[in-house]
Amino acid sequence: MAATDARTRRVWTAVVFLAVAAGGAALQARGALVPSFQTAFTVSESQLGLITPLGTIGFVGPVVIVGMLAGRLDIKRTLVIGLVLTSAGLVLIGLAPSFVALLAFVAVQSAALGIVRALDRPILSHLHPENRGRMFSLETMSWAVGATLGPFLVTWVLTVGEWRLTYYLLGLPYLVIAVLAWRSDFPDHVTSERSFSREDFRPLLSRPTILGMGLALILVGGIESTIFSWFPYYVTQFLPRSAANLALSIYLAAYVPGRLGFSFLADRASPPDVVLVAATALVALLGVLFGAGGLGRLPFFAVTFGIGFFVSGFFPLLLTWGVAVAPDYTGPVNAVAMVSTQVGFLIVPAAVGVLADVYSIGQAMLVLLGLAGCLVLLLGGRRVTGLAGSGA
């Protein structure tokens, strides 16, 4: 029985990690394809800036609804449905006949992915209660592995065909993962997620740690979404297209050692304090990136790697901070974390697109420096403002 339980836990951990890795590849392929969307549909930078917000709008609803209901749902069945619908949504994006259709299909695919992402961390939290912080970081490391491969996939596809092939290929892994999940016994451990009601929502949000986590993750979502959506386009202003996609891959590759390193700190140090140190280092690196216009290619890539390394720890560490004060409500806490991040995804890339139209993409990217500075101020002053709470 113990051997069977151990095998079941390994299989479902693999299901979660593989699904998250596939999601990382799909998201970063989308960022690398922004110039292809502009060419294919002849749209402006402001219109391109709508892609990420539309994806966010589609994503948030299922994350909230499914996350809050995680304690009542048939998690296995719901997860499999989400995986199959995500696969279908990716194929539809590849078939999009117009930019409006592309936006609609991005929203549909994001909604399906929201079902999956609402359940992945509740599954991990109850499978690995003794080291959930480490598992959260390793899960996000698997996302980074997939995300790193996404731009490479785009680069290869564009050498052999058109951009639409990327989405046909990205849809396949989700079907394989869905079959693996459906054919595997579901672990009993996950049934310890408590049922969450509407009356529980206000008390959860009133906890200082949950509020602090949410505010910090809005800023983190703005930082990450700006880099994911606009960094390749920004780099094409002074480097070739191939080098721009390479820069994004280098940034994402840094997530792998970064999240592996932060995973060792997640259960050994104060998560918000670790994020504070990383955010301070990020401010310094962004200052170098934007302040030294004469950076050569290798120094530029080195700074890009450093930025990715420090940003990589933000989300899993802040989520660990929040879940630590309400472990039986991992689904709802994860929903709060995901929605907070998506608020940043919704607002900031669109704002950067508008600023790029009015000024330039170089000036618009300075938004990153402001967001990182605000994160330092928020976490550095959390005890003064009362956001530390328990578990700080």
Side-chain angles (χ1 to χ4, degrees), residues 130-276:
E130 70 285 353
N131 59 349
R132 64 170 58 92
R134 177 170 169 76
M135 295 308 297
F136 288 167
S137 291
L138 290 175
E139 179 209 25
T140 54
M141 186 186 77
S142 72
W143 179 93
V145 172
T148 302
L149 296 176
F152 283 116
L153 175 64
V154 170
T155 300
W156 175 76
V157 166
L158 293 179
T159 64
V160 299
E162 65 169 350
W163 64 269
R164 296 175 186 275
L165 176 61
T166 307
Y167 284 100
Y168 306 147
L169 294 176
L170 288 170
L172 290 176
Y174 281 103
L175 289 180
V176 175
I177 300 165
V179 171
L180 176 62
W182 185 251
R183 292 171 60 89
S184 302
D185 294 330
F186 193 68
D188 294 334
H189 314 72
V190 181
T191 59
S192 60
E193 179 78 9
R194 290 177 60 185
S195 179
F196 191 82
S197 66
R198 185 185 306 173
E199 291 72 25
D200 295 320
F201 191 68
R202 186 182 295 272
L204 180 68
L205 287 182
S206 67
R207 298 190 184 193
T209 294
I210 302 299
L211 179 59
M213 176 197 73
L215 292 174
L217 284 173
I218 291 173
L219 298 171
V220 171
I223 292 169
E224 290 197 302
S225 63
T226 298
I227 295 173
F228 297 161
S229 301
W230 288 109
F231 196 58
Y233 188 81
Y234 164 70
V235 177
T236 57
Q237 308 307 301
F238 49 88
L239 288 177
R241 171 79 180 275
S242 59
N245 284 345
L246 178 59
L248 180 61
S249 291
I250 288 172
Y251 168 84
L252 293 166
Y255 272 43
V256 179
R259 284 179 167 167
L260 180 61
F262 286 120
S263 73
F264 290 104
L265 297 174
D267 297 313
R268 295 177 174 84
S270 167
D273 285 340
V274 177
V275 174
L276 174 59

Side-chain angles (χ1 to χ4, degrees), residues 77-91 112 116 171 174-179 182:
R77 180 179 300 170
T78 306
L79 184 72
V80 170
I81 291 172
L83 290 166
V84 172
L85 291 177
T86 301
S87 177
L90 288 165
V91 173
V116 177
Y174 281 103
L175 289 180
V176 175
I177 300 165
V179 171
W182 185 251

Side-chain angles (χ1 to χ4, degrees), residues 262 271-283 310 314 376 379:
F262 286 120
D273 285 340
V274 177
V275 174
L276 174 59
V277 173
T280 303
L282 175 63
V283 169
F310 288 111
F314 291 168
V376 170
L379 293 176

